[in-house]
Amino acid sequence: MKEIKTEDAVGMVLCHDLTQIIKDEYKGSRFKKGHVVKEEDIPVLLSMGKEHLYVWENDEDLLHENDAAKILAEISMGENTTTNGKIAEGKITITSKIDGLLKIDANLLERLNDVEMVMIATKRNNIAVKKYSPLASMRVIPLVVKKELMKKCQNIAGNNKILSIKPFIGGDAIMIATGEEIKKGRIEDTFSPVLTQKVKDYNYDIKKVIYPGDDVEIITRQINEAIENGAKAVFCSGGMSVDPDDNTPLAIRNASDEVITYGAPVLPGAMFMLAYKNNVPIIGLPGCVMYAKKTVFDLLIPRISAGEKLCKKDIVKLGMGGLL
């Protein structure tokens, strides 16, 4: 690049996009990289505050911001991610090819952002994303960088990628809605319709809703039978608090091989329970899942559906940001 007075730039080639901002009307690239400056462009450029311009002067040791952004994108894009290749103002955006669970190599992301003049901004790790959703944007800070800087980034990454998407596996599921009041028809079951709709987004299909009442042995037997008959998940609602007659946690404990947690540092959703039998998740759902817009269930179901077996530490980490 070389700097030149705007009035003297006619015939020169711009080496970067120039953004124009008109309050409440427009913000975007007014002149694109590669544009050959014309006489009629001069007043517009001056009105944009461009007293000087940077025009292209070839240097084999340097990379333009657009070319640097492409390298960062290549480092970032893992399984089921893509980019349309469009670069605006030196920035490129990566999107998802599928509905699924976003996985981020946080350590690699941090190491690359620690490289001077490099920035990569992503969505949060372990969230559900839709097909075509933006996952990350990246660029270098200056208009040009040395090629050796981008080589450093490539060496840090090696064969690793920052972003990937796990597909939702889901599968056939059973819901067990406990409570004598529901079994005997004293009140309507309003939980299962809500849950059935929610889990569809994660490829779960609730094939059957069972109403066992409050008997621990019956609830335990129904959980076991559901798993023996091929259910990929068992969702249990009702009786999840600490009242003496709330028996669902005990039934889940009796049916499982491993209890991950009864309780989570999340509000709404503190009474959440997660256990496994034969690696099939058994999920105890607090009442808030029925009526609250976002609960502990919404934080964890994307990971469960993507086939990740969670541990206690995964639950403990939810405390930061757990006040939903």
Side-chain angles (χ1 to χ4, degrees):
M1 290 189 304
K2 67 176 180 179
E3 186 180 23
I4 190 170
K5 288 184 66 176
T6 298
E7 290 91 337
D8 298 332
V10 175
M12 300 290 185
V13 179
L14 293 177
C15 61
H16 63 97
D17 294 354
L18 293 177
T19 299
Q20 184 178 41
I21 301 174
I22 302 175
K23 187 178 181 298
D24 299 328
E25 291 185 26
Y26 177 80
K27 179 183 183 295
S29 182
R30 181 65 175 82
F31 296 99
K32 294 283 189 181
K33 166 197 170 185
H35 176 76
V36 179
V37 180
K38 303 180 179 63
E39 189 69 46
E40 58 266 30
D41 297 333
I42 302 301
V44 179
L45 289 162
L46 293 172
S47 74
M48 293 165 56
K50 302 298 180 184
E51 298 288 336
H52 294 81
L53 299 174
Y54 287 99
V55 293
W56 190 249
E57 194 171 48
N58 193 33
D59 187 326
E60 292 300 320
D61 295 327
L62 298 177
L63 277 177
H64 187 272
E65 60 178 351
N66 287 2
D67 297 314
K70 290 177 183 177
I71 292 172
L72 293 178
E74 290 168 3
I75 291 172
S76 300
M77 287 189 297
E79 188 175 7
N80 294 318
T81 68
T82 188
T83 177
N84 61 13
K86 292 182 180 179
I87 305 177
E89 300 174 342
K91 180 181 69 178
I92 193 166
T93 297
I94 294 172
T95 59
S96 178
K97 288 183 177 180
I98 61 171
D99 292 356
L101 175 71
L102 172 61
K103 301 298 294 185
I104 298 172
D105 186 332
N107 179 262
L108 178 55
L109 175 63
E110 187 173 323
R111 290 173 66 198
L112 288 167
N113 274 327
D114 197 37
V115 175
E116 188 177 4
M117 297 185 290
V118 168
M119 67 78 57
I120 303 171
T122 73
K123 294 291 186 76
R124 288 188 301 108
N125 198 14
N126 290 322
I127 64 170
V129 295
K130 294 287 189 182
K131 187 177 181 180
Y132 307 123
S133 295
L135 309 175
S137 289
M138 57 215 61
R139 63 169 299 160
V140 291
I141 303 303
L143 296 172
V144 293
V145 293
K146 290 185 177 181
K147 288 182 179 179
E148 64 187 48
L149 183 74
M150 303 317 297
K151 186 65 177 177
K152 179 180 179 180
C153 292
Q154 290 171 318
N155 289 338
I156 289 172
N159 293 324
N160 300 311
K161 303 295 183 182
I162 295 175
L163 306 164
S164 63
I165 305 293
K166 283 187 172 182
F168 294 134
I169 301 168
D172 293 344
I174 296 295
M175 180 171 179
I176 298 176
T178 68
E180 292 294 331
E181 68 280 12
I182 296 178
K183 178 182 179 181
K184 294 177 180 178
R186 293 178 186 139
I187 66 170
E188 181 185 356
D189 169 24
T190 54
F191 204 136
S192 60
V194 173
L195 186 71
T196 298
Q197 191 59 43
K198 275 192 173 188
V199 299
K200 277 184 179 179
D201 290 339
Y202 306 101
N203 285 344
Y204 280 116
D205 183 9
I206 294 180
K207 291 295 187 181
K208 187 178 182 181
V209 181
I210 299 169
Y211 303 103
D214 288 320
D215 187 282
V216 173
E217 291 185 5
I218 295 175
I219 299 169
T220 301
R221 186 173 70 247
Q222 295 289 1
I223 294 171
N224 285 328
E225 288 179 0
I227 294 171
E228 288 166 7
N229 291 329
K232 301 303 181 183
V234 180
F235 300 101
C236 302
S237 67
M240 286 301 303
S241 73
V242 293
D243 294 341
D245 59 346
D246 285 336
N247 293 326
T248 308
L250 178 57
I252 293 173
R253 192 177 299 275
N254 290 344
S256 67
D257 300 327
E258 180 184 11
V259 175
I260 303 302
T261 189
Y262 175 35
V266 179
L267 290 172
M271 297 298 180
F272 177 84
M273 188 169 187
L274 175 64
Y276 289 92
K277 181 182 178 68
N278 300 334
N279 290 322
V280 175
I282 308 167
I283 304 164
L285 300 169
C288 60
V289 175
M290 177 171 57
Y291 60 82
K293 184 176 181 181
K294 191 171 187 180
T295 71
V296 63
F297 177 75
D298 302 284
L299 298 182
L300 293 176
I301 192 62
R303 299 185 67 182
I304 294 170
S305 174
E308 295 192 352
K309 186 174 181 181
L310 304 183
C311 65
K312 179 67 173 179
K313 191 173 182 180
D314 293 316
I315 309 300
V316 169
K317 287 181 176 180
L318 297 177
M320 183 180 292
L323 186 60
L324 304 181

